[in-house]
């Protein structure tokens, strides 16, 4: 199964912000209980980083004066693990487990954000595929044949 298969769900989770936006704006976007990661984009709408709730909390916990109004670009993670629509979902799941990632952005070849996959989305899709394959195999073994 390719990442493209769960792209509709990933698109629903996509939240973007410009790299020159204020940190408090990112915090507002992350206040939504469905958003755990904001993709940071430059002026050409290409991904340049991500900001998570943890990034915001760490920065705000030591706010002094105007440091909470700093630009998102100063807080974002720049070295982002991302995936493409033609990547195998099983491979992405393995990377997420290995690196303990809860979210991973889906981007086009020119780094335009397309969506965000959560670990839960990936796991549900992979389990659903596994259950379908098991059902096909059971039917075949029982003499029903393939559906």
């Amino acid at each position: 199964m390719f990442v493209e298969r769960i792209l509709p769900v990933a698109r629903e989770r996509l939240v973007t912000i410009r790299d020159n936006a204020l940190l408090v704006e990112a915090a507002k976007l992350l206040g939504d209980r469905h958003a755990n990661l904001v993709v940071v984009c430059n002026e050409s709408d290409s991904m340049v980083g991500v900001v998570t709730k943890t990034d915001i909390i760490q920065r705000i916990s030591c706010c002094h004066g105007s440091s909470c109004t700093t630009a998102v670009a100063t807080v974002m993670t720049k070295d982002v693990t991302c995936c493409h629509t033609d990547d195998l979902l099983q491979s992405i799941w393995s990377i997420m487990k290995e690196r303990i990632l809860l979210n991973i952005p889906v981007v086009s070849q020119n780094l335009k954000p397309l969506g965000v996959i959560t670990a839960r989305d990936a796991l549900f899709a992979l389990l659903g595929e596994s259950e379908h394959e098991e059902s096909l195999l059971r039917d075949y073994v029982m003499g029903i044949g393939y559906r």
Side-chain angles (χ1 to χ4, degrees):
M1 172 185 304
F2 293 99
V3 168
E4 183 176 28
R5 180 112 180 252
I6 64 169
L7 196 56
V9 173
R11 279 192 178 112
E12 292 175 16
R13 301 198 191 295
L14 178 62
V15 179
T16 62
I17 195 167
R18 293 292 291 266
D19 56 356
N20 61 353
L22 299 179
L23 190 60
V24 293
E25 294 175 42
K28 288 177 187 174
L29 292 172
L30 288 166
D32 177 16
R33 63 186 177 103
H34 296 296
N36 294 314
L37 175 131
V38 174
V39 177
V40 182
C41 298
N42 61 17
E43 60 278 348
S44 63
D45 294 326
S46 294
M47 181 182 69
V48 292
V50 295
V51 175
T52 64
K53 288 181 180 182
T54 304
D55 296 331
I56 300 289
I57 291 168
Q58 287 175 347
R59 183 59 162 218
I60 290 180
S61 67
C62 60
C63 272
H64 300 295
S66 64
S67 66
C68 288
T69 58
T70 188
V72 171
T74 62
V75 178
M76 72 182 183
T77 301
K78 295 175 184 167
D79 184 22
V80 179
T81 300
C82 59
C83 66
H84 303 281
T85 56
D86 58 350
D87 289 337
L88 287 172
L89 190 56
Q90 180 64 40
S91 299
I92 299 308
W93 172 245
S94 295
I95 291 169
M96 293 176 85
K97 284 190 321 184
E98 177 184 310
R99 298 183 188 173
I100 312 169
L101 299 173
L102 299 177
N103 305 280
I104 190 166
V106 181
V107 295
S108 67
Q109 296 303 327
N110 58 354
L111 294 179
K112 303 286 186 200
L114 301 174
V116 173
I117 296 174
T118 66
R120 182 182 179 123
D121 295 338
L123 186 59
F124 279 164
L126 291 169
L127 286 174
E129 181 182 50
S130 174
E131 288 173 358
H132 177 69
E133 288 175 3
E134 180 183 329
S135 173
L136 288 174
L137 182 59
R138 184 177 44 246
D139 289 350
Y140 180 75
V141 169
M142 293 177 65
I144 298 172
Y146 291 113
R147 288 186 225 163

